[in-house]
Amino acid sequence: MTADRAPPKVTALQWARSNLFGSIGDSILTIVAFVIFAWLVWVAFDWAILRATWFGESKEACTRGGACWAMITARWEQVVAGYYPQAQLWRVALAMVCLAVAVLPIVMRRLPAWAVLLAPAGVIAALALLSGARILPGVPTEYWGGIMLNVLVGLTGAIFALPIGVLLALGRRSELPVIKAFSIGFIELVRGVPLITLLFMSSVVLPLFLPSGMSLDKLMRALTVVTLFSSAYMAEVVRGGLQAVPKGQREAARALGFGGVRTTALVVLPQAIRISIPAIVNTFIGLFKDTSLLYVIALLEVTGVIRQALADFAWLGLENEGYVFVAVVFWIACFSMSRWSASLEKQSGARVKRPVEEPA
Amino acid sequence: MSAKKRPALGPPVIEFEGVHKWFGQTHVLKGVDLSVRDNEKVVVLGPSGSGKSTLVRCINGLEPYQEGKLKVTGVDVGADTPQATAARRKTGMVFQQFNLFPHLTVLENCTLAPMWVGRVPRKKAEDEAMAMLDRVHIAEHARKYPAQLSGGQQQRAAIARSLAMNPEIMLFDEPTSALDPEMVGEVLEVMTEMAYEGMTMMVISHEMSFAREVADRIVFMDEGEIVEIAPPKEFFSKPREERSREFLSRIL
């Protein structure tokens, strides 16, 4: 038998020679691309860090020629929490803790089944804490804002859109004509209208469906609209996953004596959701970015706070800093979600992929 | 092996009486009459599209039929009654593509139905499942996921999963057709052991050696009807029907 030997080693120099400087054309491209890249990084670094001014009362303080981050630091409370009363900011901090707990069952594996209830419980606790729930001093939602509002709306939307989306997806595949028609109607109606239109409409149309005399808070209306909007997208994502589960799975479950509901809940749905993870997180990312639209119905999320700051005479003309900051906030959040999705895929992939041949 | 003593045949547990089935306009079962007795092993043969798979899938309700009568353990399974559901649960089925649940370990595959359908407590379900996995010789793979096992191991796990529900009748739909040749033997061996332990079995298979050794009767189907029913010796050496002879000449 021929003995195994290790594959030939490739040194960094060999790699660079064959991949970066394989020919004269390659070498020129490599050098040009590298120079452009280095220049861009340097310009950004120089502007955003080296010559930046970090603190100050107005743009007059920014004399070093770089970014004027003083606008952000001077208004950090608004950036984080909007016009939430300063003395009550601890409630914002505590609400964020509640939201973190709400996320636990989504990001952590190997939690007991009841942990799923932490998600809605955390969101409701955060909402109660922020509003006061008649126990703490009430803070009307007009004062809520900043990054907190983006996170609150984004997370609430995500946590409620997933189960609603699953129900709509199942409804769309249902054999009961009324449920099927309702699901298709809802999904196609909501998917066919831009979110911004729905948000504007929410102030006019939604109250029509409420009993007379009952009025819904603006933020609650926005939350409802955002949740329903993403649940329509979620439904289509989950439907794709449901269709990807082989028919044999359902048959095997039926042959073992499972009825329709348990077949779906124990066999089909867990696989469908696992298949859909990348698309589900993609919807979450879209949802989080869409929270910047709340600004159009005068809810002061982070974009709105920055736009207000830009209208302030003290910070006039600092659009670059303002929008770069907003972009970075969204990018950090969305990129983390994307990484999280990749790790989830890896975990579930480990179960599906077959490891290298092992002795039986 | 065939010298081993087998339990005697009991009363009929599967009874087809003039069963007809259509897929849309296609007539796939054309008045099937067949009775399988307790402890009996029946191997169903036939060219593809002959309706043998449909026949077996009617027994546990995977396929509805439109006409005729089908009784399992004496209960009419055509109606949607609790008794019919209970009768269907006395059957277990093994599929060509295994159909193990990929998101669960082998052990979890075997405990899911006992725990959720049979209401067996987890500990007891796990002990029983381990006993079944031992019976099909893959107890050491209990904590692995199906994708980590070879085809033969997966099919044996699927057999253990069915056995965990303590079926009285086992249905096999081409259990070795999707396997690499070197893995066919280990699955047939498990099935043969099961046969000698007295399980009622209805097997669709083209494994002639298995049919010869294990079957009490061969049922030959073609174009939706049963053409010939005979003991294996008779069927393979001097088939009565022309269509049987044609089929045998093509596969042997």
Side-chain angles (χ1 to χ4, degrees):
Chain A
M1 204 166 89
T2 313
D4 292 350
R5 63 188 181 99
K9 281 209 177 73
V10 180
T11 66
L13 199 68
Q14 281 170 332
W15 181 88
R17 197 172 284 161
S18 65
N19 290 290
L20 300 177
F21 303 100
S23 67
I24 296 176
D26 278 6
S27 307
I28 293 173
L29 265 180
T30 300
I31 291 165
V32 168
F34 180 78
V35 167
I36 293 176
F37 180 71
W39 179 75
L40 282 176
V41 168
W42 167 252
V43 168
F45 183 72
D46 180 50
W47 177 77
I49 312 280
L50 284 187
R51 289 194 290 138
T53 307
W54 297 90
F55 300 100
E57 291 302 307
S58 76
K59 66 176 174 188
E60 309 306 326
C62 303
T63 52
R64 305 182 55 220
C68 189
W69 301 124
M71 173 175 73
I72 311 292
T73 51
R75 289 177 167 245
W76 73 269
E77 279 166 7
Q78 286 166 38
V79 168
V80 171
Y83 290 92
Y84 210 82
Q86 214 162 7
Q88 304 287 330
L89 278 181
W90 62 271
R91 281 158 63 178
V92 174
L94 210 54
M96 289 299 124
V97 173
C98 291
L99 289 181
V101 170
V103 174
L104 272 185
I106 308 177
V107 291
M108 295 255 298
R109 314 210 107 210
R110 310 207 172 283
L111 287 178
W114 59 262
V116 174
L117 294 176
L118 283 178
V123 166
I124 290 165
L127 285 171
L129 205 58
L130 288 171
S131 67
R134 297 216 175 87
I135 302 163
L136 296 160
V139 179
T141 54
E142 292 92 87
Y143 295 99
W144 306 13
I147 296 172
M148 167 196 93
L149 194 62
N150 297 82
V151 173
L152 184 72
V153 174
L155 264 180
T156 311
I159 282 169
F160 289 106
L162 184 57
I164 298 175
V166 166
L167 289 180
L168 283 170
L170 293 173
R172 189 164 190 163
R173 285 165 60 95
S174 164
E175 279 160 15
L176 305 170
V178 176
I179 291 179
K180 190 180 171 127
F182 172 81
S183 304
I184 294 180
F186 179 87
I187 293 168
E188 296 303 337
L189 202 69
V190 171
R191 272 204 314 169
V193 181
L195 177 58
I196 198 165
T197 314
L198 289 175
L199 283 172
F200 281 132
M201 276 167 68
S202 72
S203 48
V204 187
V205 179
L206 210 56
L208 292 180
F209 294 102
L210 294 173
S212 61
M214 185 181 159
S215 75
L216 247 185
D217 180 85
K218 184 157 70 179
L219 178 63
M220 292 305 143
R221 285 198 309 247
L223 271 176
T224 314
V225 167
V226 167
T227 304
L228 293 181
F229 183 77
S230 352
S231 65
Y233 279 87
M234 203 60 84
E236 288 301 279
V237 163
V238 174
R239 185 166 72 104
L242 287 171
Q243 277 167 349
V245 177
K247 203 173 102 225
Q249 293 289 311
R250 204 168 260 287
E251 291 182 348
R254 284 204 54 191
L256 285 167
F258 286 105
V261 176
R262 284 195 191 133
T263 299
T264 302
L266 296 171
V267 175
V268 180
L269 209 48
Q271 295 183 54
I273 290 189
R274 213 155 283 179
I275 294 167
S276 329
I277 284 174
I280 289 175
V281 177
N282 192 35
T283 310
F284 283 170
I285 290 175
L287 162 64
F288 186 69
K289 290 197 290 187
D290 280 348
T291 59
S292 58
L293 287 175
L294 294 180
Y295 149 72
V296 304
I297 54 166
L299 286 170
L300 278 182
E301 48 69 60
V302 65
T303 322
V305 166
I306 294 295
R307 289 199 46 108
Q308 266 198 350
L310 292 172
D312 184 343
F313 186 73
W315 306 107
L316 221 49
L318 293 179
E319 274 82 4
N320 287 346
E321 285 82 349
Y323 292 124
V324 165
F325 174 76
V326 172
V328 168
V329 166
F330 277 103
W331 184 80
I332 289 175
C334 296
F335 186 67
S336 327
M337 282 193 264
S338 146
R339 291 293 85 202
W340 163 59
S341 151
S343 79
L344 272 185
E345 274 174 67
K346 226 186 220 166
Q347 281 173 10
S348 57
R351 297 180 170 193
V352 180
K353 267 189 213 126
R354 200 168 154 186
V356 188
E357 290 291 302
E358 55 182 323
Chain B
M1 278 267 266
S2 43
K4 263 190 203 170
K5 226 185 133 203
R6 296 196 197 186
L9 301 189
V13 285
I14 304 171
E15 295 157 275
F16 286 88
E17 281 168 41
V19 171
H20 285 265
K21 166 157 183 83
W22 288 263
F23 280 126
Q25 295 298 310
T26 321
H27 202 170
V28 287
L29 290 182
K30 301 174 182 167
V32 172
D33 293 297
L34 174 69
S35 158
V36 178
R37 294 170 65 186
D38 196 21
N39 289 343
E40 193 177 5
K41 291 75 173 99
V42 170
V43 169
V44 186
L45 288 179
S48 65
S50 59
K52 52 192 193 305
S53 191
T54 311
L55 177 84
V56 169
R57 288 157 61 93
C58 282
I59 298 168
N60 66 351
L62 285 186
E63 300 286 357
Y65 51 91
Q66 283 83 30
E67 261 177 41
K69 207 170 210 176
L70 170 53
K71 285 193 206 163
V72 176
T73 61
V75 180
D76 188 347
V77 292
D80 213 4
T81 60
Q83 291 89 336
T85 308
R88 274 190 226 114
R89 282 187 190 158
K90 291 179 182 167
T91 65
M93 188 168 201
V94 174
F95 300 85
Q96 184 177 357
Q97 300 295 340
F98 328 138
N99 296 345
L100 287 170
F101 305 135
H103 60 300
L104 302 176
T105 63
V106 168
L107 183 64
E108 287 165 343
N109 262 279
C110 297
T111 55
L112 194 70
M115 282 170 58
W116 288 89
V117 180
R119 302 262 162 227
V120 178
R122 176 185 291 273
K123 184 80 189 67
K124 188 161 175 263
E126 285 182 352
D127 290 345
E128 286 171 359
M130 283 311 291
M132 293 305 166
L133 290 171
D134 201 35
R135 196 166 150 190
V136 300
H137 319 301
I138 51 165
E140 70 272 26
H141 299 302
R143 305 278 168 189
K144 289 189 183 166
Y145 286 93
Q148 294 169 290
L149 303 184
S150 72
Q153 290 166 339
Q154 289 191 49
Q155 191 59 298
R156 285 184 282 144
I159 293 174
R161 176 176 70 175
S162 287
L163 289 178
M165 287 301 279
N166 298 314
E168 293 171 21
I169 303 161
M170 281 292 287
L171 309 170
F172 294 84
D173 188 355
E174 307 212 19
T176 57
S177 301
L179 295 175
D180 290 338
E182 79 266 25
M183 291 168 184
V184 169
E186 62 194 59
V187 172
L188 291 181
E189 192 184 318
V190 165
M191 289 168 63
T192 310
E193 283 166 16
M194 202 188 297
Y196 283 112
E197 281 158 25
M199 178 67 78
T200 309
M201 292 164 72
M202 204 160 161
V203 183
I204 302 173
S205 177
H206 295 299
E207 297 297 330
M208 293 306 145
S209 58
F210 174 81
R212 276 204 182 95
E213 183 188 339
V214 173
D216 294 299
R217 285 188 296 162
I218 303 285
V219 170
F220 175 67
M221 284 189 77
D222 190 24
E223 293 184 345
E225 11 181 51
I226 293 179
V227 177
E228 182 168 349
I229 302 180
K233 240 184 217 162
E234 223 170 276
F235 182 80
F236 288 117
S237 55
K238 40 182 192 302
R240 287 192 303 273
E241 301 290 328
E242 179 55 36
R243 281 195 274 180
S244 314
R245 277 195 287 276
E246 229 172 76
F247 175 74
L248 284 174
S249 71
R250 263 182 284 131
I251 62 162
L252 289 179

